[in-house]
Amino acid sequence: MAIIITIGVLATSFAQKQDFTKSADNDPEATKILDKVSAKYEAYKSIEALFTLKIAIPEEPVDQQKGKMIQEGEKYNVDLQEMTMISDGVDNFWVHNKRNEECQLNDIPDPEDDDMLAPQEFYSFYKSGKYVYALTNALVEDRKPVLQIEFKPLDGESEYSKIRMTIEKKTNIVKRVRVFAKDGSNYTLTIDKITPNKKFTAADFTFDKKKHPNVHVENLKMD
């Protein structure tokens, strides 16, 4: 997805503003954009998204996988080529490792766990107070104006150095999110297609052992 024209780099950047050290320093213009994005997605009753995940780790071949995510309220199902993560939104969280034919049943992850961002938090994590952010670029991609917002974790012990979100200016649709880790690796999630307000059933948000008779399920729940 080539960048055709660079319109400009805005003056507010982490490299130039030394006072970007707390959430109160957030760029107001970026907040306006993110509020529009959040309102757009929160208005949907459900979402189906097709995406591409690219994982780049130093000295290793780049791994690229196609995936699909469905989400309805607190329930979600994220299906990748090698792994599926499912939450029923109440008590159960399954991680199905397809290659090893294993599935772990856990309690739903703690929302305070920075290493696990549930799909329903994807468009609202900027409200958590855990990041400082700014609008850094205005670009044109595929003949469409886009805006880039960069987030910096306020926790100095975070394994991530920054997160870059690319948003279509006219539609407030998130096109891409790139996460930069301190070890030099980075993860790029590109949204290929979004279909809102599809109808799903409870079965779409559970792991069905009958459909996977050869998969060993290990119950790791605390109760």
Side-chain angles (χ1 to χ4, degrees):
M1 194 177 298
I3 296 176
I4 302 174
I5 303 173
T6 300
I7 296 177
V9 179
L10 303 183
T12 51
S13 68
F14 294 127
Q16 294 171 329
K17 273 191 73 83
Q18 300 301 316
D19 58 343
F20 269 46
T21 57
K22 55 186 182 300
S23 59
D25 298 326
N26 289 331
D27 177 7
E29 189 63 28
T31 301
K32 291 179 183 178
I33 297 166
L34 292 168
D35 285 345
K36 291 178 182 179
V37 171
S38 180
K40 181 183 184 72
Y41 287 94
E42 287 179 358
Y44 297 146
K45 294 181 180 179
S46 67
I47 296 175
E48 177 185 85
L50 304 180
F51 63 87
T52 302
L53 177 63
K54 184 163 67 174
I55 303 172
I57 299 175
E59 301 181 3
E60 293 187 18
V62 174
D63 178 24
Q64 182 167 298
Q65 297 185 39
K66 293 287 187 179
K68 182 175 80 170
M69 182 276 293
I70 62 173
Q71 179 252 324
E72 184 179 79
E74 300 296 313
K75 301 177 288 187
Y76 59 86
N77 184 325
V78 180
D79 187 29
L80 288 159
Q81 291 168 219
E82 298 182 358
M83 181 178 294
T84 301
M85 293 174 288
I86 306 171
S87 171
D88 65 4
V90 182
D91 298 309
N92 301 307
F93 177 67
W94 296 268
V95 179
H96 175 201
N97 187 317
K98 299 177 183 180
R99 179 178 296 179
N100 296 339
E101 292 193 332
E102 294 179 350
C103 181
Q104 292 184 346
L105 172 59
N106 294 274
D107 295 308
I108 292 178
D110 188 337
E112 296 300 316
D113 185 356
D114 291 333
D115 294 330
M116 178 64 190
L117 186 65
Q120 66 269 21
E121 300 165 347
F122 188 74
Y123 305 105
S124 60
F125 74 91
Y126 72 97
K127 301 176 183 178
S128 68
K130 298 179 180 180
Y131 300 87
V132 61
Y133 54 80
L135 176 62
T136 56
N137 281 316
L139 313 167
V140 172
E141 295 185 1
D142 301 332
R143 300 183 181 180
K144 295 180 180 180
V146 300
L147 303 170
Q148 288 186 339
I149 296 176
E150 292 201 356
F151 304 79
K152 182 176 71 174
L154 292 174
D155 183 357
E157 296 184 1
S158 172
E159 61 182 293
Y160 306 116
S161 58
K162 65 180 178 180
I163 300 172
R164 180 182 299 150
M165 179 180 288
T166 302
I167 300 163
E168 283 191 4
K169 184 177 181 179
K170 291 184 179 180
T171 63
N172 297 313
I173 291 175
V174 176
K175 292 191 65 176
R176 184 171 54 254
V177 176
R178 191 174 184 187
V179 180
F180 298 82
K182 292 179 180 177
D183 64 2
S185 58
N186 62 80
Y187 310 85
T188 304
L189 179 71
T190 301
I191 309 298
D192 301 317
K193 181 181 178 181
I194 282 187
T195 305
N197 300 324
K198 290 190 70 172
K199 291 185 178 181
F200 302 108
T201 67
D204 294 314
F205 302 103
T206 57
F207 179 80
D208 190 344
K209 182 67 169 66
K210 294 179 181 179
K211 294 181 179 179
H212 306 278
N214 296 323
V215 174
H216 170 69
V217 179
E218 184 176 7
N219 190 338
L220 299 177
K221 289 173 65 69
M222 298 299 292
D223 53 6

